[in-house]
């Protein structure tokens, strides 16, 4: 496995490793997304599979740095919250022993295969290690990931399990346009194929519950034609400019 990142590069990688629009340590104020400090993930991987997994982890709003065989040196400088091993580097036992010396409290997770499943395992480990999952906040839209509760302007919003996962993905990436393919991969897994209408259907469910059912009337979920969907904090002055509520064909 070739070295993806050296210690002299990790500081620059840290500045660039958070997905555009995702949570950053300085995120505060209206429209910010929690937690305040992004979870720091050190991904030890190589090749195309490693790049795909890294992109998926960044999609969770986490600060991700990728490394190869020199991951112990990178961990010493990066100080990750979790180390994810995708594939087996050479001399793994010796390297893990050195990793324990420089980061004794950091959990290590071995993953392989399906990206969506790997992300779910990392998320579960992060939530367990952190003691409590963070709250996500975008404007007046709030999600408690541990309690699996959502409110808009203080009004509870009841969601199905799939609607919750879709909204979580959007809220972890505020102001970032997400394509149908990205949403299908993250929410339904690679097996969902090209069923883009599935995304459209569940986006309409969310809009009915969050933009209309909450009584707010100001949308937070927006369509970017030909590109995908984006979630942004509502414009308080837009309440009187809304058109008719979206039409849906099911629940």
């Amino acid at each position: 496995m070739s070295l993806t990142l050296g210690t002299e590069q990790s500081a620059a990688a840290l500045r660039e490793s958070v997905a555009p629009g995702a949570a950053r340590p300085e995120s505060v104020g209206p429209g910010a997304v929690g937690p305040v400090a992004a979870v720091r993930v050190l991904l030890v991987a190589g090749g195309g599979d490693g790049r795909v997994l890294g992109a998926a982890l960044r999609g969770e709003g986490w600060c991700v740095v990728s490394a190869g065989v020199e991951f112990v040196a990178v961990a010493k400088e990066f100080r990750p919250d979790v180390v994810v091993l995708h594939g087996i580097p050479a001399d793994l036992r010796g390297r893990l022993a050195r990793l324990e010396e420089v980061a004794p409290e950091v959990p290590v997770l071995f993953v392989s295969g399906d990206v969506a499943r790997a992300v779910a395992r990392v998320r579960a480990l992060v939530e367990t290690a952190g003691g409590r999952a963070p709250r996500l906040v975008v404007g007046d839209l709030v999600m408690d990931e541990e309690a699996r509760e959502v409110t808009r302007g203080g009004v509870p919003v009841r969601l199905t399990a799939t609607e919750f996962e879709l909204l979580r993905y959007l809220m972890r990436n505020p102001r970032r346009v997400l394509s149908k393919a990205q949403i299908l991969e993250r929410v339904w897994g690679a097996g969902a194929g090209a069923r883009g209408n599935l995304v459209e259907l569940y986006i309409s469910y969310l809009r009915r519950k969050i933009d209309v059912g909450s009584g707010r009337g100001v949308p937070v979920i927006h369509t970017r034609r030909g590109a995908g969907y984006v979630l942004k904090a509502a414009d308080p002055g837009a309440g009187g400019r809304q058109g008719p509520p979206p039409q849906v064909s099911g629940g």
Side-chain angles (χ1 to χ4, degrees):
M1 184 184 300
S2 62
L3 176 63
T4 304
L5 178 73
T7 54
E8 73 281 357
Q9 297 171 285
S10 62
L14 173 57
R15 291 194 298 270
E16 301 171 356
S17 58
V18 183
R24 295 178 180 271
E26 68 273 21
S27 294
V28 293
V33 57
V36 173
V39 173
R40 301 158 70 91
V41 179
L42 175 58
L43 174 61
V44 183
D49 289 344
R51 288 190 290 272
V52 172
L53 179 55
L57 293 172
R58 291 184 181 94
E60 292 290 312
W62 298 330
C63 179
V64 181
V65 164
S66 299
V69 294
E70 298 298 332
F71 66 90
V72 176
V74 176
K76 186 175 182 180
E77 181 172 340
F78 180 54
R79 295 179 296 175
D81 297 304
V82 59
V83 175
V84 179
L85 293 177
H86 186 272
I88 307 299
D91 187 24
L92 179 62
R93 180 176 299 180
R95 296 179 190 279
L96 286 180
R98 293 197 295 277
L99 177 64
E100 188 171 355
E101 292 176 0
V102 301
E105 304 298 325
V106 175
V108 178
L109 181 66
F110 293 83
V111 299
S112 62
D114 182 71
V115 170
R117 183 175 302 176
V119 171
R121 291 185 61 201
V122 177
R123 187 190 310 121
L125 179 61
V126 167
E127 293 177 356
T128 300
R132 177 176 172 82
R135 285 199 325 160
L136 301 177
V137 182
V138 180
D140 62 353
L141 183 63
V142 180
M143 171 182 286
D144 186 320
E145 293 186 278
E146 184 178 73
R148 297 187 71 83
E149 295 176 347
V150 175
T151 60
R152 174 101 194 264
V155 178
V157 179
R158 297 185 62 180
L159 301 177
T160 66
T162 302
E163 290 167 351
F164 186 90
E165 288 304 318
L166 174 56
L167 181 61
R168 169 154 56 185
Y169 186 41
L170 294 172
M171 292 187 69
R172 285 178 179 269
N173 295 274
R175 301 176 301 280
R176 177 188 179 195
V177 177
L178 300 170
S179 69
K180 290 181 181 179
Q182 288 175 307
I183 294 172
L184 281 169
E185 173 66 29
R186 169 61 185 81
V187 179
W188 283 275
R195 292 179 289 174
N197 62 323
L198 190 63
V199 177
E200 295 174 7
L201 182 63
Y202 274 85
I203 286 289
S204 72
Y205 293 162
L206 282 182
R207 281 174 166 157
R208 182 174 65 179
K209 293 182 176 182
I210 293 173
D211 291 342
V212 180
S214 67
R216 306 298 289 178
V218 183
V220 293
I221 301 173
H222 305 269
T223 301
R224 294 291 182 262
R225 292 193 179 277
Y229 301 94
V230 59
L231 184 141
K232 301 188 298 182
D235 177 3
R241 301 198 300 267
Q242 301 311 308
Q247 300 298 311
V248 296
S249 57

